[in-house]
């Protein structure tokens, strides 16, 4: 680490901040609170929309910032405002829709901090959602009759997600999206594809937040476990992969901590923030 003081901690949520039961462990909550008391900002850095942020996290006194939708939005939680937007055009969203329309997939969109999905698809979320995530999907999405009709009314769209039950179709759709050159394509699970505007990822949002706080990449700690975490794990001074992380996340990180069920985030904060000075 070459002695750089950490002033910002960016935390992925699923598989990182939350344990397998979907909770923040007491030790992790205590470490976050201690870091905040020292003047270190602690922010979510997530693919989720603002509406999907766990209340258990945002209610910790001092938590002010969130990088949401894979860096598409930087949210000031205290002010209730999005202070930076890196959204895709409506035309790009429809391009993604059209080139994947031949696959058996569910496609949604994020807008102004909420997810929107077709009502019929949400009713059968257990059929296509990532394992154990159907309840979260329903809680973080608003049901609409026609996702395309909503998209037509939106000049810009925060992010899109596609969910597949056929791995081969997912692979072909990923290739089409990537080869179009119009998108940043990533994933945090084995059934989904996350689509952002070209060049937009968690690193973009987290580094921008650092600049607003007067911090460089060397002053930032990021913890993550999956594919959409790779850019921020590579970009910051202390990129920390969880013990339960995908192999590619461990390869991208400079350090590996314990798993999300063994206080991995707490141990990273204790090492890089609380043990300093």
């Amino acid at each position: 680490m070459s002695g750089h003081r950490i002033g910002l901690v960016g935390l992925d949520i699923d598989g990182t901040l939350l344990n397998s039961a979907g909770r923040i462990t007491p030790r992790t909550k205590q470490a976050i609170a201690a870091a905040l008391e020292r003047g270190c900002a602690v922010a979510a850095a997530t693919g989720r929309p603002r509406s999907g942020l766990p209340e258990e996290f945002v209610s910790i006194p001092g938590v002010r910032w969130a990088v949401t939708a894979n860096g598409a939005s930087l949210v000031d939680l205290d002010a209730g405002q999005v202070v930076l937007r890196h959204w895709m055009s409506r035309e790009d969203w429809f391009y993604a829709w059209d080139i994947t329309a031949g696959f058996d997939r569910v496609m949604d969109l994020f807008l102004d901090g909420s997810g929107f999905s077709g009502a019929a698809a949400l009713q059968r979320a257990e059929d296509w959602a990532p394992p154990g995530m159907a309840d979260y999907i329903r809680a973080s999405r608003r049901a609409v009759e026609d996702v395309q009709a909503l998209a037509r009314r939106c000049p810009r769209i925060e992010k899109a997600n596609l969910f597949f039950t056929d791995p081969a179709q997912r692979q072909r759709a990923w290739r089409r999206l990537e080869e179009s050159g119009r998108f940043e394509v990533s994933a945090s699970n084995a059934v989904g594809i996350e689509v952002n505007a070209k060049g937009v990822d968690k690193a973009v949002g987290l580094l921008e937040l650092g600049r607003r706080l007067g911090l460089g990449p060397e002053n930032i700690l990021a913890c993550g476990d999956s594919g959409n975490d790779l850019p921020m794990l590579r970009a910051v001074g202390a990129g920390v992969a969880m013990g339960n992380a995908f192999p590619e996340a461990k390869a991208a990180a400079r350090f590996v901590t314990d798993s999300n069920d063994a206080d991995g985030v707490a141990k990273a904060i204790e090492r890089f923030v609380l043990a300093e000075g």
Side-chain angles (χ1 to χ4, degrees), residues 64-238:
R64 176 178 177 181
W65 299 100
V67 174
T68 62
N70 285 343
S73 297
L74 174 59
V75 184
D76 182 338
L77 299 170
D78 285 355
Q81 294 180 343
V82 177
V83 298
L84 183 70
R85 291 177 173 85
H86 293 296
W87 294 11
M88 73 176 70
S89 67
R90 171 176 54 208
E91 292 74 21
D92 277 347
W93 188 90
F94 273 102
Y95 187 87
W97 178 280
D98 289 341
I99 66 171
T100 63
F103 299 121
D104 181 17
R105 53 94 173 111
V106 172
M107 184 169 169
D108 66 15
L109 63 84
F110 287 2
L111 181 68
D112 289 329
S114 293
F116 294 85
S117 297
L122 282 178
Q123 288 178 356
R124 55 180 183 85
E126 283 80 6
D127 295 340
W128 51 264
M133 297 290 285
D135 288 343
Y136 158 73
I137 292 284
R138 289 197 186 92
S140 62
R141 267 65 164 178
R142 299 183 187 180
V144 294
E145 287 305 311
D146 187 341
V147 176
Q148 287 180 283
L150 173 62
R152 290 189 190 98
R153 301 196 299 271
C154 304
R156 305 198 71 79
I157 290 167
E158 203 168 356
K159 177 195 165 191
N161 297 281
L162 299 94
F163 300 93
F164 298 80
T165 56
D166 183 333
Q169 288 193 3
R170 176 177 180 265
Q171 186 176 14
R172 291 199 296 273
W174 188 303
R175 188 162 54 247
R176 288 185 187 182
L177 291 162
E178 209 163 49
E179 290 176 352
S180 75
R182 298 173 70 140
F183 307 105
E184 207 64 37
V185 184
S186 64
S188 57
N189 58 71
V191 303
I193 300 177
E194 302 176 39
V195 182
N196 284 81
K198 185 67 177 176
V200 176
D201 54 42
K202 291 185 182 184
V204 169
L206 196 59
L207 294 179
E208 173 62 24
L209 175 54
R211 284 191 288 271
R212 287 171 177 260
L213 299 176
L215 303 169
E218 68 276 8
N219 306 118
I220 302 175
L221 162 67
C223 295
D225 73 302
S226 61
N228 64 349
D229 298 315
L230 304 185
M232 74 172 181
L233 292 177
R234 295 182 179 124
V236 302

